[in-house]
């Protein structure tokens, strides 16, 4: 008998802004991803004030899935995908975010895409907000600092829930809602919450306020979604990267415990419906006086999620500094330190398959909900040799992670819904804006400079994953 249950959701994951292109097609508005330039591992992406002539904005065309979706979905079907995770670009539906009426051409695009997927028996898994909110909501409202964003998001979600109620069953509200918590850099705040730092602002307070409004919005749409279709499964989506203590020193252990709390309190709110005690104490000490009303607290309690979707790429190691004896809160300068026991990717990300099993256990113990691994994969350089792409490193990475997933299911009894490797087709990296940081099992001919024919080719990993799916995870050879 298979380790993985019948109906296990083997699939692939992407996000609208990283692969659709067509940034001005079908009435689409400008999203925050449209004002981010390309960078690389040493050069951060820039967020420009509007679209500037002469700049390279890699998400504008991306891999032009908008015009290639039939050809690409056909390849997904050939690979045997049971599900496909993507997001709905908010700006295709509400170009500015604050309109009264949705844009019919945008709605039609996703009707066409979902019909195409369903034609091959591929279940759509949809993220409502994946780093691509309308730019207008940033410039006019200050992003998620503003309570009004809740109404705009609820309207957007309600429109798409109603429209696709018979086509989509699996939803997630905010992609990696927690990745703004630890990394107080411009990139993560901008992509998650549409926040650009203002002078004199206590940015950490703004992050907590924005996060609160996002979680209220998420809890509201969970309730609305269940009314529109009681069969909807609506999940949270977390960036999961366990923090290991650097040593057996209890200070390091306490540091790692606090790092986990500081990263995953979002799940406490979204799964348990309330803030953890340690965080309320922290807000008090900081005198934040956040706008968290009693009505909000009722909404959070009533809108807990059905499952936890999460990304897993790497674990991290944290170390307490000498003077940390009381608070152990992550400081802005905190970075994870190297783990000498593990290899890293070309981009310096720690490769730790056992960390995935640990994450599955940790989440199960804490929340006792079904789990869905909705991102996992290796960003690597690929080379085309005589029309072929040999990527044994990617196969090894995926195989090692699936083996740990299998142990979590078989030995630890984790309830796992599915597995969708990230970037099933090459796309624009969110962190660096590069094309050459490739995750795909399908190659797309386009480079960092934006040159290439956009021609699609199957990598060796395509065939390998095809056989994994066909055997329901039994054949990993
Ligand atoms: C996750 C995001 O953070 O990691 C994706 O949900 C992103 O959008 C992925 O692409 C990989 O990160 P990167 O920076 O390599 O694209």
């Amino acid at each position: 008998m298979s380790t993985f249950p019948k109906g296990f959701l083997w699939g692939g994951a992407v996000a609208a802004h990283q692969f659709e292109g067509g940034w001005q097609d079908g009435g689409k508005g400008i999203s925050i991803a449209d004002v981010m330039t390309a960078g690389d591992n040493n050069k951060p992406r820039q967020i420009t004030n509007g679209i500037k002539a002469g700049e390279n904005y890699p998400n504008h065309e991306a891999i032009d899935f908008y015009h290639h979706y039939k050809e690409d979905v056909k390849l997904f079907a050939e690979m045997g995908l049971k599900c496909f995770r993507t997001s709905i670009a908010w700006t295709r539906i509400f170009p500015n975010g604050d309109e009264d009426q949705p844009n019919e051409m945008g709605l039609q695009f996703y009707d066409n895409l979902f019909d195409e997927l369903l034609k091959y028996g591929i279940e759509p898994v949809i993220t409502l907000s994946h780093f691509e909110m309308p730019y207008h909501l940033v410039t006019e409202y200050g992003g998620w600092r503003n309570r009004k964003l809740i109404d705009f998001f609820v309207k957007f979600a309600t429109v798409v829930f109603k429209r696709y109620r018979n086509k989509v069953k699996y939803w997630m509200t905010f992609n990696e809602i927690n990745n703004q918590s630890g990394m107080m850099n411009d990139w993560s705040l901008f992509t998650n919450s549409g926040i650009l730092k203002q002078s004199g602002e206590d940015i950490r307070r703004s992050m907590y306020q924005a996060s609160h409004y996002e979680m209220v919005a998420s809890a509201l749409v969970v309730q609305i979604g269940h009314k529109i279709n009681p069969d909807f499964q609506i999940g949270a989506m977390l960036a999961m990267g366990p923090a290991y203590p650097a040593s057996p020193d209890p200070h390091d252990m306490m540091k790692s415990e606090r790092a986990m709390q500081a990263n995953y309190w979002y799940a406490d709110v979204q799964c348990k419906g309330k803030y953890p005690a340690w965080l309320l104490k922290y807000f008090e000490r900081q005198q934040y006086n956040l706008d968290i009303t009693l009505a909000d607290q009722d909404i959070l309690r009533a809108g807990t999620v059905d499952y936890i979707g999460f990304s897993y790429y790497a674990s991290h190691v944290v170390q307490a500094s000498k003077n940390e004896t009381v608070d152990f809160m992550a400081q802005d300068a905190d970075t994870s330190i190297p783990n000498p026991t593990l290899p890293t990717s070309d981009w310096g990300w720690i490769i730790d398959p056992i960390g995935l099993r640990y994450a599955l256990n940790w989440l199960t113990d804490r929340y006792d909900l079904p789990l869905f691994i909705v991102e996992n994969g290796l960003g690597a350089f690929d080379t085309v040799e005589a029309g072929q792409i040999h990527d044994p490193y990617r196969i090894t990475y995926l195989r090692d992670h699936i083996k740990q997933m299998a142990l979590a299911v078989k030995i630890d009894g984790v309830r796992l819904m599915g597995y969708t490797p990230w970037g099933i087709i090459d796309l624009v990296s969110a962190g660096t804006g590069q094309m050459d940081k490739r995750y795909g099992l399908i190659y797309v001919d386009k480079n960092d400079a934006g040159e290439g024919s956009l021609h699609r080719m199957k990598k060796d990993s395509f065939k390998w994953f095809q056989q994994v799916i066909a055997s329901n995870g039994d054949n990993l050879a």
Side-chain angles (χ1 to χ4, degrees), residues 1 15 18 45 55 91 108 137 143 166 265 286 295 306 311 356 424 432-433 438:
M1 208 181 74
Q18 288 172 261
R45 301 185 77 173
E55 292 286 358
T91 48
Q108 192 57 51
L137 298 183
N166 297 320
W265 65 269
Q286 299 297 115
D306 300 316
S311 62
L356 175 59
I424 199 76
T432 66
R438 296 176 184 277

Side-chain angles (χ1 to χ4, degrees), residues 110-111 114-119 122-124 126 158-171 225 227-233:
Y110 291 105
D111 263 320
F114 299 154
D115 289 345
E116 198 64 19
L117 290 166
L118 294 168
K119 179 172 113 188
I122 303 174
E123 185 96 48
I126 300 303
T158 306
V159 164
V160 299
F161 280 164
K162 284 190 177 156
R163 177 80 170 216
Y164 308 122
R165 69 185 175 283
N166 297 320
K167 297 184 182 180
V168 178
K169 174 176 175 187
Y170 298 98
W171 301 89
K227 281 200 190 104
I228 292 172
N229 184 343
D231 288 338
F232 276 179
Q233 291 287 301

Side-chain angles (χ1 to χ4, degrees), residues 3-120:
T3 298
F4 297 101
K6 198 167 166 277
F8 189 77
L9 291 166
W10 297 99
V14 297
H17 70 284
Q18 288 172 261
F19 90 135
E20 280 181 4
W23 72 292
Q24 289 184 303
D25 286 322
K28 181 183 169 299
I30 297 175
S31 84
I32 55 172
D34 293 324
V35 299
M36 291 179 71
T37 64
D40 59 38
N41 222 12
N42 303 309
K43 185 178 124 208
R45 301 185 77 173
Q46 298 299 315
I47 298 160
T48 56
N49 184 6
I51 311 284
K52 299 274 177 225
E55 292 286 358
N56 175 9
Y57 297 102
N59 301 68
H60 286 186
E61 183 191 54
I63 62 161
D64 197 26
F65 177 80
Y66 189 80
H67 296 106
H68 289 74
Y69 74 92
K70 289 197 174 174
E71 168 193 349
D72 290 342
V73 171
K74 196 163 173 221
L75 282 169
F76 302 154
E78 187 185 333
M79 208 188 299
L81 300 194
K82 308 286 183 208
C83 75
F84 179 61
R85 173 183 177 230
T86 186
S87 55
I88 294 179
W90 189 342
T91 48
R92 290 202 188 282
I93 313 302
F94 288 98
N96 282 326
D98 60 356
E99 294 88 345
D100 288 333
Q101 295 303 319
N103 168 36
E104 176 54 32
M105 281 186 292
L107 287 166
Q108 192 57 51
F109 170 69
Y110 291 105
D111 263 320
N112 298 345
L113 171 58
F114 299 154
D115 289 345
E116 198 64 19
L117 290 166
L118 294 168
K119 179 172 113 188
Y120 294 105

Side-chain angles (χ1 to χ4, degrees), residues 14-15 17-18 45 85 130-131 175-176 179 187 237-239 311-313 347 349 374-375 377-379 422-423 427-434 437-439:
V14 297
H17 70 284
Q18 288 172 261
R45 301 185 77 173
R85 173 183 177 230
H130 190 134
F131 303 166
N175 184 64
E176 293 191 338
N179 85 3
W187 182 85
M237 199 301 192
L238 302 169
S311 62
Y312 176 80
Y313 292 93
W347 274 261
W349 293 19
V374 294
E375 286 186 33
L378 180 70
W422 175 252
L427 38 59
V428 175
S429 156
T432 66
Q434 288 174 286
K437 186 181 187 186
R438 296 176 184 277
Y439 287 88

Side-chain angles (χ1 to χ4, degrees), residues 208-223:
Y208 283 114
Q209 186 64 71
S211 301
H212 174 71
Y213 292 148
E214 284 158 25
M215 283 185 297
V216 171
S218 174
L220 280 168
V221 307
V222 168
Q223 295 173 67

